[in-house]
């Protein structure tokens, strides 16, 4: 038996893997429910499908009514609530947005860009290679939290992934069929230069032959996979080809593709992660966080209906602490997708504990109403037996589904639900686990990026401290620390990044006295003697946070040790906690030493700085 089959996931309330028989979400719902009722003979539940309800559902004590996909979402929710003996949600349940996507950065050679849970679940050796039972289990994991689209290949589309919409299209179609019973549709990341790969001498979006190429391509692709969700495109970013190569702009490029896929109901997810990655570090005028807004805001209103601009949550790149991207305030006439990263590229590689839902609560508080039409998350899944490397990283996937469905979700309640579904702990131990999850982001932030000072990481792999790592690099990610102070001045006196925000944010960020402390060094360049709100100097605060963050990481590991988790989860979690403690100490000592050497100011408490 494959080891993954015996691993705990939040699907523990079901007693077996779904069979191959189910062809539709309704059949899957019936199969899952029958299985559940066998082990819960005291319960009864009938399913009623109402096609007009689509993804919506209504639950009662003895029944689920829902649309063609809603019936499945409703069945999973009903079973979870009954298994946990918690009240059913009342009234009609509807998702906040229609596209709730997972973006895999899987390469066809089996590696995963920024993957920390093993190799790809579906690619190996340049082709599809998977265990169908495991893909069904993946489908039910996604459906159980309402995720309805999976983009299965890396946005950096490299050979032979271009073949997915060409010579290996039939294999893509077979893979799509495996997920269909779980109401999960596929999406493909495509290469803007695909026409050149297939013999044309240009990929210029205004060329009629290029337009014809994509129209014919879309026809073939949707003939093979009629419910394909669409194409995801990374263009003119980090050396990928795009419309700029041909002197065209991004509305030209995205709209050309949008027209090709429109007849089939397809969408174009066009990523807004575009900036100059060949910046001269001596250049203090160019400020990377300004790049996306500067490029896209003037195009607001020019994109076709079926284009969705996919915007990372912050203006940089999934850092521990960033303000909300200003594009969410400035694109009233463009549909936007919010992109977050479950893969812990900058947040501890699924070694350090980092539960993300508190961050999504913060995003919600800043997000203007109605600005998000879709959500996407870079997945944290891989072929590891436990799916996510750190067994608790599964909580991020679970919580993402919950927040995608209902952005008003409560991070702590979701953590509690995940913990209760995943582990049979007594209440006090469960609460310990919940508190570990809930404090994890703040702890990680404290030892790695306090006060909004991101990017002090090892270049390339992005784990562990290196304050000089990106300082003289072309990536536009500088801390500009010297003997006088630290940070980039992004106020109107500096790069005027704050100018991209409307009131009240602009005024808030402009003034160091009003700027949220967590973002202070994101927006301001300050001297080491700057007095913080609590009377401590900036330098003392930097020291204190690094000492405190490392201490709390140790405490976290000790508390984790008290949990009666099943094996091998306990062993895996403890091994990772030990590595986290080591990592946190390294951050403490490297950053404190770095700042001490510049400032010459000793720690007020006489602790060891090297
Ligand atoms: C897929 C960051 C990552 C890259 C990633 C890129 C993106 O820069 O380090 O690995 O590429 O974001 O989101 O496109």
């Amino acid at each position: 038996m494959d080891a993954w089959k015996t691993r705990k996931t939040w699907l523990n309330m079901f007693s077996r893997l779904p069979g191959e028989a189910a062809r539709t979400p309704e059949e899957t719902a019936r199969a899952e429910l029958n299985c559940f009722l066998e082990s819960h003979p005291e319960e009864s539940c009938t399913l009623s499908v109402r096609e007009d309800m689509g993804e919506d559902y209504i639950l009662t004590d003895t029944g689920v009514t829902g649309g063609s996909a809603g019936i499945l979402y409703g069945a999973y929710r009903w079973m979870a609530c009954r298994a946990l003996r918690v009240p059913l949600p009342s009234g009609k349940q509807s998702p906040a947005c229609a596209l709730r996507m997972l973006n895999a950065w899987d390469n066809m050679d089996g590696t995963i860009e920024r993957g920390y849970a093993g190799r790809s679940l579906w690619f190996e050796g340049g082709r599809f290679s998977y265990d169908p039972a495991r893909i069904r289990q993946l489908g039910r994991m996604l459906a159980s939290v309402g995720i309805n689209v999976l983009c299965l290949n890396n946005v950096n589309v490299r050979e032979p992934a271009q073949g997915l919409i060409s010579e290996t299209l039939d294999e893509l179609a077979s893979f799509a069929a495996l997920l269909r019973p779980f109401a999960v549709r596929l999406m493909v990341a495509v290469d803007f230069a695909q026409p050149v790969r297939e013999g044309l001498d240009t990929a210029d979006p205004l060329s009629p032959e290029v337009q014809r190429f994509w129209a014919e391509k879309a026809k073939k692709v949707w003939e093979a996979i009629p419910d394909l969700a669409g194409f995801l495109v990374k263009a003119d970013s980090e050396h990928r080809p795009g419309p700029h190569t041909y002197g065209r702009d991004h509305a030209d490029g995205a709209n050309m593709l949008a027209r090709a896929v429109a007849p089939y109901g397809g969408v174009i997810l066009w990523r807004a992660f575009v900036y100059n990655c060949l910046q001269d570090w001596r250049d203090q005028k160019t400020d990377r966080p300004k790049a996306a807004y500067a490029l896209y805001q003037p195009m607001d209103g020019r994109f076709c209906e079926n284009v969705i601009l996919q915007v990372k949550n912050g203006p940089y790149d999934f850092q521990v602490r960033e303000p909300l991207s200003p594009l969410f305030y400035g694109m009233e006439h463009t549909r936007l997708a919010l992109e977050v990263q479950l893969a812990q590229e900058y947040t501890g590689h699924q070694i350090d504990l980092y539960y993300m839902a508190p961050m999504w609560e913060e995003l919600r508080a800043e997000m203007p109403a109605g600005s998000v039409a879709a959500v996407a998350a870079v997945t944290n899944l891989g072929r590891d037996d436990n799916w996510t490397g750190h067994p608790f990283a599964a909580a991020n996937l679970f919580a993402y589904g919950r927040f995608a469905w209902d952005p008003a979700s409560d991070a702590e309640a979701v953590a509690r639900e995940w913990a209760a579904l995943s582990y049979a702990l007594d209440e006090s131990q469960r609460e310990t686990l919940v508190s570990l999850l809930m404090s994890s982001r703040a702890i990680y932030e404290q030892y790695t990026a306090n006060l909004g000072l991101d990017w002090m990481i090892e270049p390339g792999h992005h784990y562990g401290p290196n304050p000089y790592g990106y300082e003289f690099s072309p990536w536009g990610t500088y801390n500009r620390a010297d003997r006088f102070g630290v940070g980039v001045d992004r106020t109107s006196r500096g790069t005027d990044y704050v100018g991209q925000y409307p009131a009240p944010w602009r005024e808030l960020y402009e003034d160091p006295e009003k700027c949220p402390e967590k973002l202070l060094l994101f927006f301001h360049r300050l001297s080491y003697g700057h007095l913080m709100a609590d009377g401590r100097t900036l330098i003392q605060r930097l020291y204190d946070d690094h000492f405190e963050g490392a201490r709390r990481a140790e405490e976290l590991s000790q508390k984790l040790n008290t949990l009666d988790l099943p094996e091998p989860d306990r062993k895996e979690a403890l091994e990772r906690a030990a590595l986290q403690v080591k990592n946190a100490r390294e951050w403490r000592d490297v950053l404190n030493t770095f700042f001490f050497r510049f400032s010459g100011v000793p720690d007020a408490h006489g602790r060891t700085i090297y």
Side-chain angles (χ1 to χ4, degrees):
M1 166 110 90
D2 299 314
W4 66 268
K5 288 189 177 156
T6 62
R7 293 307 298 261
K8 303 280 176 200
T9 73
W10 67 79
L11 298 177
N12 289 348
M13 67 260 196
F14 311 104
S15 52
R16 60 172 182 251
L17 284 169
E20 289 169 48
R23 291 275 169 269
T24 62
E26 181 189 344
E27 286 174 14
T28 305
R30 290 195 190 284
E32 293 279 30
L33 192 64
N34 287 341
C35 182
F36 178 86
L37 292 176
E38 275 169 26
S39 52
H40 295 78
E42 73 288 2
E43 299 281 1
S44 72
C45 183
T46 53
L47 299 181
S48 326
V49 179
R50 266 189 37 202
E51 289 296 337
D52 61 317
M53 285 182 73
E55 294 197 307
D56 300 347
Y57 63 84
I58 297 171
L59 305 183
T60 65
D61 280 348
T62 54
V64 178
T65 304
S68 51
I71 196 72
L72 181 60
Y73 301 144
Y76 281 123
R77 195 93 185 97
W78 187 90
M79 290 183 273
C81 291
R82 299 315 260 186
L84 296 180
R85 302 186 197 293
V86 297
L88 297 167
S90 66
K92 188 167 81 172
Q93 304 300 304
S94 310
C97 58
L99 287 179
R100 303 175 300 281
M101 302 174 283
L102 213 50
N103 291 181
W105 288 354
D106 292 29
N107 300 311
M108 290 192 76
D109 64 3
T111 59
I112 301 179
E113 183 151 346
R114 313 306 178 185
Y116 311 102
R119 296 179 70 80
S120 170
L121 283 159
W122 48 81
F123 293 138
E124 193 57 68
R127 47 200 307 262
F128 276 99
S129 168
Y130 52 81
D131 172 354
R134 193 152 193 193
I135 301 305
R136 281 197 301 280
Q137 178 73 346
L138 169 71
R140 94 203 266 240
M141 284 166 81
L142 303 190
S144 74
V145 291
I147 295 168
N148 64 2
V149 173
L150 171 68
C151 183
L152 84 170
N153 61 313
N154 191 353
V155 288
N156 293 324
V157 187
R158 298 192 190 93
E159 290 292 351
Q162 281 91 339
L164 289 170
I165 53 167
S166 189
E167 63 272 12
T168 41
L169 180 57
D170 53 342
E171 292 179 48
L172 186 71
S174 308
F175 192 79
L178 273 179
L179 291 171
R180 204 164 280 132
F182 300 94
V184 175
R185 298 154 73 204
L186 282 194
M187 177 172 283
V188 199
V190 300
D191 180 354
F192 195 78
Q194 183 91 11
V196 176
R197 177 198 194 247
E198 297 191 18
L200 270 55
D201 55 12
T202 179
D204 179 352
L206 299 194
S207 147
E209 59 169 348
V210 169
Q211 293 166 1
R212 229 179 356 262
F213 169 90
W214 280 110
E216 282 163 16
K217 179 63 74 186
K219 184 165 181 289
K220 280 195 194 128
V221 170
W222 264 270
E223 264 167 17
I225 311 169
D227 60 354
L228 189 81
F231 293 154
L232 174 62
V233 191
K234 173 173 176 177
D236 292 314
S237 167
E238 298 183 334
H239 314 296
R240 306 315 301 163
H244 289 171
T245 317
Y246 307 96
R248 312 299 183 190
D249 71 20
H250 278 211
D252 295 331
N255 290 342
M256 179 273 294
L257 289 173
R259 287 187 197 105
V261 305
Y264 317 101
V267 290
I268 298 299
L269 267 294
W270 187 269
R271 291 180 90 233
F273 180 62
V274 182
Y275 66 99
N276 175 10
C277 66
L278 294 174
Q279 192 180 324
D280 184 340
W281 59 268
R282 299 165 192 85
D283 167 11
Q284 305 237 2
K285 294 233 159 40
T286 309
D287 187 15
R288 174 168 157 183
K290 292 176 75 175
Y293 186 96
L295 179 68
Y296 291 104
Q297 206 290 321
M299 283 183 252
D300 187 26
R302 280 189 53 212
F303 291 98
C304 291
E305 255 305 286
N306 60 332
V307 172
I308 303 181
L309 195 64
Q310 185 162 310
V311 183
K312 290 190 181 185
N313 59 277
Y316 253 141
D317 188 5
F318 302 135
Q319 295 303 290
V320 178
R321 178 63 60 177
E322 297 188 50
L324 183 68
S325 166
L327 280 171
F328 289 104
Y329 302 104
M331 301 292 287
E332 279 172 26
H333 308 289
T334 306
R335 294 169 77 205
L336 300 181
L338 166 68
E339 180 178 330
V340 297
Q341 192 184 41
L342 309 181
Q344 290 176 230
E345 175 180 0
Y346 298 100
T347 52
H349 284 204
Q350 286 147 239
I351 296 170
D352 299 33
L353 190 62
Y354 191 95
Y355 175 54
M356 296 180 181
M359 176 177 100
W360 304 329
E361 285 183 333
E362 291 160 10
L363 289 177
R364 169 177 79 208
E366 293 172 21
M367 192 69 82
S371 57
V372 173
V375 284
V378 180
T379 123
N380 56 1
L381 293 167
R383 217 174 266 224
D384 278 2
D385 291 338
N386 67 10
W387 300 84
T388 50
H390 196 310
F392 300 171
N396 285 328
L397 179 61
F398 181 86
Y400 167 67
R402 278 277 190 279
F403 273 77
W405 181 280
D406 177 10
S409 296
D410 179 78
E412 187 171 333
V414 170
R416 187 167 292 116
E417 194 183 330
W418 171 80
L421 289 170
S422 303
Y423 298 116
L425 298 171
D426 68 29
E427 197 183 331
S428 123
Q429 291 225 341
R430 185 161 65 241
E431 286 311 301
T432 304
L433 176 53
V434 171
S435 76
L436 292 180
L437 290 171
M438 286 303 290
S439 59
S440 59
R441 166 167 153 85
I443 295 173
Y444 189 82
E445 176 173 17
Q446 206 170 19
Y447 61 77
T448 63
N450 61 334
L451 308 175
L453 204 46
D454 297 308
W455 290 113
M456 295 236 190
I457 40 175
E458 276 295 347
H461 60 68
H462 300 161
Y463 187 79
N466 186 347
Y468 282 119
Y470 278 111
E471 201 50 21
F472 307 107
S473 80
W475 294 97
T477 48
Y478 313 112
N479 56 63
R480 308 266 187 223
D482 62 17
R483 68 198 176 96
F484 302 108
V486 58
V488 174
D489 181 0
R490 299 197 156 103
T491 69
S492 55
R493 294 171 305 283
T495 70
D496 199 27
Y497 167 63
V498 295
Q500 295 184 343
Y501 287 87
W505 306 105
R506 184 186 304 183
E507 289 70 24
L508 204 67
Y509 295 147
E510 169 84 6
D511 182 350
E513 301 302 319
K514 295 192 191 136
C515 182
E517 206 167 57
K518 289 183 157 69
L519 285 167
L520 194 60
L521 292 177
F522 191 99
F523 284 101
H524 298 275
R525 173 173 183 75
L526 297 172
S527 71
Y528 297 113
H530 173 87
L531 279 188
M532 306 291 291
D534 65 4
R536 281 182 284 178
T537 57
L538 173 69
I539 187 71
Q540 190 57 44
R541 177 60 191 275
L542 289 168
Y543 295 153
D544 287 351
D545 276 356
H546 296 135
F547 280 117
E548 179 65 2
R551 188 196 64 73
R552 289 170 76 198
E554 279 173 36
E555 193 179 80
L556 188 146
S557 152
Q558 285 152 8
K559 284 194 186 154
L560 209 153
N561 196 21
T562 66
L563 298 183
D564 296 322
L565 294 165
E567 293 295 1
D569 293 45
R570 181 176 155 81
K571 181 169 167 285
E572 289 169 354
L574 285 173
E575 275 167 6
R576 281 164 179 72
L579 293 172
Q580 173 168 10
V581 167
K582 196 161 166 258
N583 188 35
R585 286 186 189 148
E586 196 66 7
W587 274 93
R588 175 194 67 194
D589 293 340
V590 170
L591 289 199
N592 283 346
T593 302
F594 174 80
F595 285 118
F596 173 64
R597 287 182 183 174
F598 268 134
S599 69
V601 180
D603 172 40
H605 307 293
R607 292 165 291 192
T608 307
I609 296 182
Y610 297 87

